[in-house]
Amino acid sequence: MSETTGSRRTQVAIIGAGPAGLLLGQLLARGGVDALVLERQSAAYVLGRIRAGVLEQGSVEVLGEAGVGQRLLAEGLPHEGIELAFDGERHRIDLAALTGRRVTVYGQTEVTRDLMQARAAAGLRTVYEAADVSLHGFEGSSPVVRWREGERTHEVRCDYIAGCDGFHGVSRASVPAGALRTFERVYPFGWLGVLSDTPPVSDELIYANHPRGFALCSMRSRSRSRYYLQCALDERVENWSDERFFDELRSRLDEAAAARLVTGPSIEKSIAPLRSFVAEPMRFGRLFLAGDAAHIVPPTGAKGLNLAVADVRSLARALISRYRTGDETGLDAYSERCLRRVWKTVRFSWWMTTLMHRFPGTGDFDQRIQEAELGYLVGSKAASTALAENYVGLPFED
Ligand code: APR
Ligand code: PHB
């Protein structure tokens, strides 16, 4: 029989210690707002996740404001362009020349590690392996969050709950079904990803459209590469030896890139599904959803982490303002403000996915249409600027 230990109190209970939850905790702490972070998994498990690491300039600035920009500045790789490969050739999109902004390649794992270390260094509490987290009373003014640690049940009373617990979390699931409207597009393919301690095939990312399917050449550092191949939804990792993976990757790249490919043993190999998902609204009384708890984008545009940062930046500013001055306009505007950016980013990620991938049931005509759109894009300053503006990140509203 579990027993409830003493009830704690905090101002904001944050569910989830991924990038969204940890960044929110960090920004709130710097704004003088007390928060408790509750995470279902262990810290090691959270750090074991391999996720995209392309940071918009705005995200880099927010991480700097959060006081975790040092290693990012020292080790992050500034990228002023990306390359599009199609019809046997590669074309560079000069992000910096077109927008005056750039992106930074820095693994999400490292962002999470920096945030974890900063939180621990500040003596701020994170409960890892918090089991059976449940949310109560967020429609009223005195929410309560309960969880289990071993046989002991705990609870915390709070003013607000931040649901930063990802797509499969408990927060969105705790909202009465009728209060939520969801929008979803599941893509008919997945991404087979490989991590290898080999030098990247190019200094910048290569997005390749090919009749055999999409491929992406990315990196974590100048000595660690990250590669992806579009694959069928029923593909299995065990069917892909390293040799088969790199042979298929070469076949989808232009000759020059294929010739530069340095192969090596995979240190991680996995298949991820692709979906677009948005839940509206992102606020229910005293519960606010942020990051993957509210939306999912296909990784094509590298927007998942950047959208989470934008949500959290807005929520932190609103909560700090509410505690400092009693002004609740930021909280009242949170959902609509975030959703304007979310839907523009979901559109961009959908557009880039649709342009770059080979959809089942399509044929040579569709391939030519994609190549024609890509040929127009790389030859048009207006079209290239439109891609670049979205890729480097749209400006924050406030
Ligand atoms: N109770 C407590 N914690 C939970 C629960 C729960 N019921 N369910 C999930 N969590 C934790 C997960 O273990 C995870 O550590 O919430 C965290 C959610 O983190 P993410 O899934 O990384 O989501 P988010 O922080 O919004 O970051 C978005 O992560 O998934 C990528 O592509 C996405 O880059 C984007 C980023
Ligand atoms: C990655 O490095 O994992 C990555 C980079 C860019 C993307 C997606 C994934 O668009």
Side-chain angles (χ1 to χ4, degrees), residues 139-376:
E139 297 93 332
S141 58
S142 309
V144 171
V145 176
R146 294 193 181 97
W147 72 95
R148 191 169 45 78
E149 290 176 54
E151 284 308 303
R152 299 174 74 89
T153 301
H154 301 259
E155 75 172 34
V156 63
R157 290 178 292 109
C158 52
D159 299 324
Y160 300 98
I161 303 173
C164 301
D165 46 349
F167 184 67
H168 301 289
V170 67
S171 299
R172 192 180 71 247
S174 300
V175 174
L180 201 66
R181 187 173 176 196
T182 60
F183 305 80
E184 187 165 36
R185 169 69 49 89
V186 177
Y187 296 90
F189 39 73
W191 278 19
L192 168 61
V194 156
L195 198 62
S196 59
D197 281 330
T198 53
V201 75
S202 173
D203 291 340
E204 295 176 332
L205 273 57
I206 302 175
Y207 291 82
N209 169 294
H210 191 278
R212 293 177 65 88
F214 169 78
L216 170 59
C217 300
S218 182
M219 63 196 78
R220 292 291 177 269
S221 69
R222 292 195 175 82
S223 60
R224 177 166 285 191
S225 298
R226 179 66 168 166
Y227 296 113
Y228 296 96
L229 293 176
Q230 172 187 343
C231 65
L233 276 176
D234 59 0
E235 265 301 354
R236 301 171 62 81
V237 173
E238 45 269 28
N239 294 340
W240 288 82
S241 66
D242 290 355
E243 184 181 10
R244 182 186 176 196
F245 180 91
F246 286 118
D247 285 348
E248 182 61 32
L249 178 60
R250 279 192 200 89
S251 73
R252 299 186 188 184
L253 296 174
D254 59 284
E255 277 182 29
R260 286 172 50 89
L261 179 65
V262 176
T263 63
S266 58
I267 56 177
E268 193 273 347
K269 191 184 291 177
S270 56
I271 292 177
L274 275 68
R275 82 174 71 234
S276 300
F277 173 87
V278 180
E280 292 184 359
M282 289 172 57
R283 175 194 187 174
F284 307 90
R286 296 292 183 105
L287 169 61
F288 294 82
L289 301 180
D292 274 16
H295 41 71
I296 295 285
V297 286
T300 324
K303 291 301 175 188
L305 177 54
N306 292 295
L307 261 186
V309 171
D311 291 349
V312 162
R313 173 185 176 274
S314 185
L315 183 54
R317 285 165 172 243
L319 285 166
I320 291 165
S321 176
R322 180 259 182 237
Y323 280 107
R324 277 187 180 158
T325 67
D327 173 15
E328 298 194 5
T329 51
L331 292 175
D332 294 339
Y334 170 77
S335 179
E336 289 185 10
R337 172 183 292 139
C338 285
L339 284 168
R340 283 193 289 271
R341 184 185 190 85
V342 164
W343 275 111
K344 288 172 185 168
T345 306
V346 163
R347 181 218 58 91
F348 172 68
S349 303
W350 162 84
W351 169 79
M352 204 166 165
T353 302
T354 305
L355 178 59
M356 299 303 292
H357 290 73
R358 179 85 179 195
F359 282 69
T362 60
D364 295 343
F365 173 82
D366 306 275
Q367 181 62 31
R368 286 286 187 272
I369 290 293
Q370 287 182 330
E371 291 170 358
E373 179 164 357
L374 284 162
Y376 164 68

Side-chain angles (χ1 to χ4, degrees), residues 15-20 38-41 46 49 51 108 133 164-166 169-170 290-292 304-305 308:
I15 318 299
L38 297 168
E39 165 58 49
R40 176 166 64 179
Q41 304 290 356
V46 173
R49 295 187 188 120
R51 294 276 171 66
Q108 176 175 313
V133 171
C164 301
D165 46 349
V170 67
D292 274 16
L305 177 54

